[in-house]
């Protein structure tokens, strides 16, 4: 077994969640590590899925429907976005919003400043909403993703300040306060499916909808994970290891998907 | 048929926008931010604005740097791949700027409601979220009269003014987009619901040119109060198919936005000490420096 990076592990893991015909929403913004989590890993994961089990999986990126993932722009400046070839580029972003509300999206990749026990997410403000400690970016379509997308995947690094008991502001409603509270509030069934991190993968318990440790990345022990969380997730008695990337997956990622290490840079 | 010309100067076009007005600002992320208009508003000393935006970047942050914003309503303010918007952030954190956050379907509903002359449109996105909980004034629950389903009414966006930067236009206010462009914005819905619409364009072209391809006119002159030629009018942001964002200028701006005092030196250098858009362009290096930002034009 050859060496692999954490980013490659996460990319391969996420790519295996993608099914034939999935329409996947990938975000556009940010830089540095946040770019890798929100843009780089998701684009690489969907492309890997296209090359393996899901050739008809597609991405909605910016306002481009089915951009050609076999030639991702090398520089993310405006003109590179403008020229990226795609199947469709609707006249305005409202079209994408309509597609979201009509549940045309199967998958979304999300990351946030805070996530809580029930998978509620905050990208709006840290601290008091009206006098915040840190004002973040707002909401974008993150509320829509959790409201309408069938399988949202959170892609985040673990940190005590990020994995909190209760988010300071609910931008996106996950499983709200657990159980059936999400549906009682007026949303359809759904909410975040998995939380894929740099240490472990979590899902949500079927009944209480609490975050539950699903697998540990190779070399990681439960204590490592818990020390990076401000709440106690459900910890099953036996926890499998996250399946590492195969030689074939690594070959695709390094040789064809991201040869210049643009997507999985940091 | 004799059309009325709407071509004017930047100074005249924005003069009706006074302190206390509400202004919707077009563009999205680092594209077509109507920054020439924004700089003129700052020169005019306008304050206490209620601003509305889609994904706002430079335009909102410049206004925040000039202490011109009292309230913001929209989906996002940041600097795209450059991080958070430092001056806007400082304004919100200090309590100077009040925020009303909306998700994308909610903001789309606000714009479409205005365009249709409706007081609201319904969505079903924000149940359980703090976006709805914190804004009972503009987001209200009701039951669908047909199905009984619980829905959320989102109040129409009804700004006094709407300002947009476009590609080309004619003296009658018809504004056209290129065939290939970046469409990740809401400029046409913003324009469609505007009360008083002020537009800058990269270039004014003869009306005869516009008439040849009327399907490219996304803002009909009928909607427009004033149109102004402002080449590089989105600088330091990009105008897709014309020029890219100015990386060096953006980095300088962000470097000088670490405190309110620092950013005042930026505003002094680039905004207050230039009397108009032409002087601003000269200040940032003139035609030769700007040409370096140009991107290849396609048919």
């Amino acid at each position: 077994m050859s060496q692999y990076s954490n980013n490659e592990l996460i990319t391969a893991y996420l790519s295996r969640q993608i099914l034939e015909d999935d329409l996947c929403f990938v975000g556009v913004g940010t830089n540095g590590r946040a770019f890798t989590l929100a843009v780089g890993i998701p684009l690489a994961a969907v492309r890997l899925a296209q090359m393996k089990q899901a050739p008809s999986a597609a991405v909605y990126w910016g306002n481009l429907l089915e951009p050609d993932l076999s030639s991702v722009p090398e520089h993310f400046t405006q003109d590179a976005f403008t020229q990226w070839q795609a199947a469709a580029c609707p006249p305005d972003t409202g079209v994408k919003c309509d597609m979201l509300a009509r549940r045309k999206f199967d998958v979304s990749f999300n990351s946030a400043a805070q996530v809580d026990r029930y998978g509620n997410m905050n990208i709006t403000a840290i601290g008091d909403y009206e006098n915040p400690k840190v004002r973040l970016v707002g909401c974008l379509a993150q509320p829509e993703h959790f409201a309408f997308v069938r399988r949202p995947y959170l892609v985040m690094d673990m940190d005590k300040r990020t994995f909190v008991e209760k988010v300071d502001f609910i931008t996106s409603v996950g499983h709200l306060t657990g159980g059936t509270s999400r549906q009682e509030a007026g949303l359809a069934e759904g909410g975040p499916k998995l939380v894929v991190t740099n240490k472990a993968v979590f899902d949500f318990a079927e009944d209480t909808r609490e975050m539950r440790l699903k697998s540990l990345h190779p070399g990681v022990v439960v204590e490592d994970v818990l020390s990076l969380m401000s709440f106690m997730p459900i910890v099953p008695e036996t926890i499998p290891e996250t399946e590492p990337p195969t030689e074939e997956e690594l070959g695709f990622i390094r040789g064809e998907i991201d040869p210049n290490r643009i997507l999985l840079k940091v | 048929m004799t059309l009325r010309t709407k071509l004017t100067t930047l100074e005249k076009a924005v003069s009706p926008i006074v302190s206390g007005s509400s202004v919707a600002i077009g563009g999205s992320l680092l594209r077509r931010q109507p920054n020439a208009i924004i700089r003129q508003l700052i020169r005019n000393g306008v304050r206490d604005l209620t601003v509305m935006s889609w994904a706002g970047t430079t335009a909102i942050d410049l206004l925040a740097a000039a202490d011109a914003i009292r309230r913001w309503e929209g989906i996002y303010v940041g600097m795209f791949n450059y991080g958070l918007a430092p001056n806007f952030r400082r304004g919100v954190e200090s309590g100077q700027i009040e925020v009303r956050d909306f998700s994308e379907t909610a903001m789309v509903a606000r714009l479409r409601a205005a365009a249709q002359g409706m007081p609201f449109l319904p969505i079903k996105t924000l149940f359980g979220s703090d976006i709805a909980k914190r804004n009972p004034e503009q987001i209200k629950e009701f039951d669908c009269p047909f199905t009984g389903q619980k829905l959320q009414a989102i109040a129409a966006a009804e700004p006094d003014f709407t300002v947009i930067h476009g590609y080309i236009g004619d003296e009658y206010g018809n504004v056209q987009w290129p065939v290939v462009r970046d469409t990740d914005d809401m400029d046409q819905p913003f324009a469609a619901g505007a009360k008083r619409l002020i537009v800058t364009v990269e270039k004014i072209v003869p009306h005869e040119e516009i008439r040849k391809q009327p399907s490219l006119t996304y803002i009909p002159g009928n909607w427009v109060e004033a149109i102004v030629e402002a080449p590089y009018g989105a600088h330091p942001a990009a105008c897709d198919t014309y020029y890219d964002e100015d990386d060096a200028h953006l980095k300088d701006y962000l470097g000088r936005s670490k405190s309110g005092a620092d950013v005042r030196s930026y505003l002094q250098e680039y905004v207050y000490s230039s009397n108009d858009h032409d002087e601003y362009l000269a200040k940032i290096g003139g035609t030769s420096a700007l040409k370096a930002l140009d991107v290849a034009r396609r048919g």
Side-chain angles (χ1 to χ4, degrees):
Chain A
M1 174 58 64
S2 70
Q3 293 292 308
Y4 52 85
S5 70
N6 223 322
N7 285 344
E8 289 169 335
L9 171 83
I10 299 168
T11 299
Y13 183 86
L14 282 168
S15 82
R16 295 182 212 123
Q17 315 304 316
I18 309 296
L19 310 173
E20 268 290 68
D21 296 333
D22 273 352
L23 179 58
C24 311
F25 186 93
V26 179
V28 294
T30 71
N31 58 1
R33 180 63 183 161
F35 172 88
T36 305
L37 293 171
V39 186
I41 288 174
L43 285 179
V46 179
R47 180 60 187 147
L48 183 56
Q50 288 177 341
M51 295 171 84
K52 297 197 62 177
Q53 80 280 7
S56 66
V59 155
Y60 204 124
W61 186 91
N63 209 30
L64 295 177
L65 189 47
E66 300 172 28
D68 180 2
L69 296 185
S70 71
S71 72
V72 174
E74 293 219 355
H75 303 285
F76 282 76
T77 56
Q78 179 55 53
D79 198 45
F81 304 151
T82 313
Q83 298 208 37
W84 197 0
Q85 297 201 357
C89 180
D92 66 55
T93 324
V95 177
K96 177 200 76 185
C97 292
D98 297 342
M99 288 176 68
L100 276 163
R102 295 186 63 207
R103 309 205 74 170
K104 298 284 186 192
F105 284 88
D106 303 289
V107 167
S108 65
F109 299 97
N110 305 86
S111 45
Q114 291 181 329
V115 63
D116 68 22
R117 179 188 296 281
Y118 297 107
N120 303 301
M121 198 169 82
N122 174 17
I123 67 160
T124 308
I126 302 292
D128 176 65
Y129 179 60
E130 273 157 37
N131 286 288
K133 194 160 150 268
V134 184
R135 170 65 195 185
L136 302 168
V137 293
C139 303
L140 293 166
Q142 300 293 316
E144 283 77 7
H145 292 170
F146 278 20
F148 303 125
V149 176
R150 288 190 176 74
R151 286 151 32 223
Y153 297 108
L154 276 152
V155 188
M156 295 172 62
D157 285 338
M158 297 204 69
D159 189 297
K160 263 188 180 307
R161 290 173 308 173
T162 312
F163 284 71
V164 297
E165 177 67 42
K166 214 170 171 334
V167 293
D168 294 343
F169 184 91
I170 300 179
T171 314
S172 305
V173 176
H175 304 293
L176 200 54
T177 55
T180 54
S181 59
R182 176 189 159 90
Q183 291 94 298
E184 282 153 22
L187 292 174
E189 271 187 58
K193 179 90 177 156
L194 296 177
V195 186
V196 181
T197 76
N198 53 336
K199 301 285 180 194
V201 178
F202 300 85
D203 61 5
F204 295 88
E206 291 75 11
D207 49 354
T208 65
R209 310 309 278 156
E210 284 173 280
M211 202 183 284
R212 176 174 66 189
L213 197 47
K214 180 175 164 63
S215 68
L216 291 161
H217 296 352
V220 177
V221 296
V222 174
E223 290 69 33
D224 297 339
V225 172
L226 298 182
S227 73
L228 295 169
M229 302 176 78
S230 290
F231 64 90
M232 180 62 90
I234 298 175
V235 182
E237 269 184 36
T238 53
I239 306 161
E241 190 178 81
T242 311
E243 198 187 321
T246 63
E247 292 294 341
E248 188 199 22
E249 287 167 335
L250 289 172
F252 281 141
I253 293 171
R254 293 170 188 175
E256 298 184 47
I257 296 171
D258 192 30
N260 302 318
R261 274 291 182 270
I262 293 162
L263 298 176
L264 307 183
K265 194 162 143 193
V266 283
Chain B
M1 180 184 182
T2 310
L3 295 166
R4 188 168 65 82
T5 185
K6 295 174 176 180
L7 185 62
T8 183
T9 63
L10 197 51
E11 294 75 2
K12 282 197 183 126
V14 309
S15 63
I17 305 179
V18 296
S19 292
S21 301
S22 55
V23 186
I25 297 174
S28 186
L29 298 172
L30 289 176
R31 269 184 311 284
R32 281 173 279 109
Q33 298 282 304
N35 287 328
I37 291 173
I38 297 302
R39 282 183 287 265
Q40 189 58 40
L41 291 174
I42 294 172
R43 279 184 210 108
N44 290 354
V46 170
R47 311 275 290 214
D48 295 322
L49 299 176
T50 292
V51 295
M52 303 177 193
S53 76
W54 187 246
T57 56
T58 50
I60 307 291
D61 201 63
L62 277 165
L63 282 176
D67 294 328
I69 305 178
R70 182 173 54 83
R71 184 159 96 193
W72 167 83
E73 305 179 358
I75 64 150
Y76 167 100
V77 179
M79 295 298 281
F80 191 48
N81 44 357
Y82 293 83
L84 297 175
N87 296 294
F88 178 77
R89 186 184 154 185
R90 192 159 45 241
V92 177
E93 288 168 11
S94 70
Q96 226 181 321
I97 299 174
E98 180 198 340
V99 292
R100 301 270 178 102
D101 286 289
F102 290 88
S103 74
E104 291 191 11
T105 50
M107 200 66 194
V108 168
R110 300 195 69 195
L111 299 176
R112 288 181 182 164
Q116 294 172 20
M118 288 291 154
F120 74 90
L121 279 179
I123 65 167
K124 51 183 182 185
T125 311
L126 299 177
F127 296 113
S129 83
D130 285 336
I131 302 164
K133 202 164 134 194
R134 292 300 197 132
N135 190 355
E137 208 180 303
Q138 290 168 308
I139 303 172
K140 289 184 195 291
E141 230 172 82
F142 72 108
D143 295 330
C144 169
F146 296 102
T147 64
Q149 188 192 358
K150 199 158 72 164
L151 296 171
Q152 290 168 311
I154 312 293
E158 295 175 311
D160 302 324
F161 299 91
T162 300
V163 299
I164 286 174
H165 183 67
Y167 309 85
I168 61 170
D170 66 17
E171 63 171 311
Y172 306 116
N174 299 295
V175 185
Q176 292 194 330
W177 49 35
V179 172
V180 174
R181 64 188 192 94
D182 194 320
T183 68
D184 193 8
D185 63 63
M186 291 299 288
D187 279 7
Q188 190 183 44
F190 266 114
K195 284 186 203 152
R196 300 181 70 176
L197 175 59
I198 298 159
V199 184
T200 52
V201 290
E202 287 297 319
K203 194 171 165 52
I204 293 288
V205 300
H207 181 54
E208 292 66 36
E209 290 300 310
I210 296 294
R211 289 169 60 107
K212 284 177 193 164
Q213 292 179 290
S215 60
L216 296 183
T217 303
Y218 67 107
I219 302 176
N222 173 269
W223 300 355
V224 174
E225 172 171 315
I227 187 166
V228 176
E229 185 176 71
Y232 299 97
H235 184 275
C239 182
D240 45 302
T241 74
Y242 282 76
Y243 49 89
D244 265 339
E245 61 273 29
D246 188 338
D247 179 62
H249 191 100
L250 285 168
K251 283 179 177 149
D252 179 47
Y253 172 73
L254 291 171
R256 295 164 74 172
S257 291
K258 294 197 163 64
S259 76
D262 287 345
V263 81
R264 272 192 286 282
S265 86
Y266 171 91
L267 292 176
Q268 188 56 41
E269 180 176 350
Y270 288 108
V271 184
Y272 295 120
S273 69
S274 55
N275 287 309
D276 56 26
H277 185 59
D278 286 344
E279 285 189 29
Y280 171 78
L281 295 183
K283 200 146 273 180
I284 58 174
T287 315
S288 58
L290 290 164
K291 287 264 180 260
L293 302 172
D294 286 355
V295 296
R297 301 301 308 279
R298 281 158 302 146

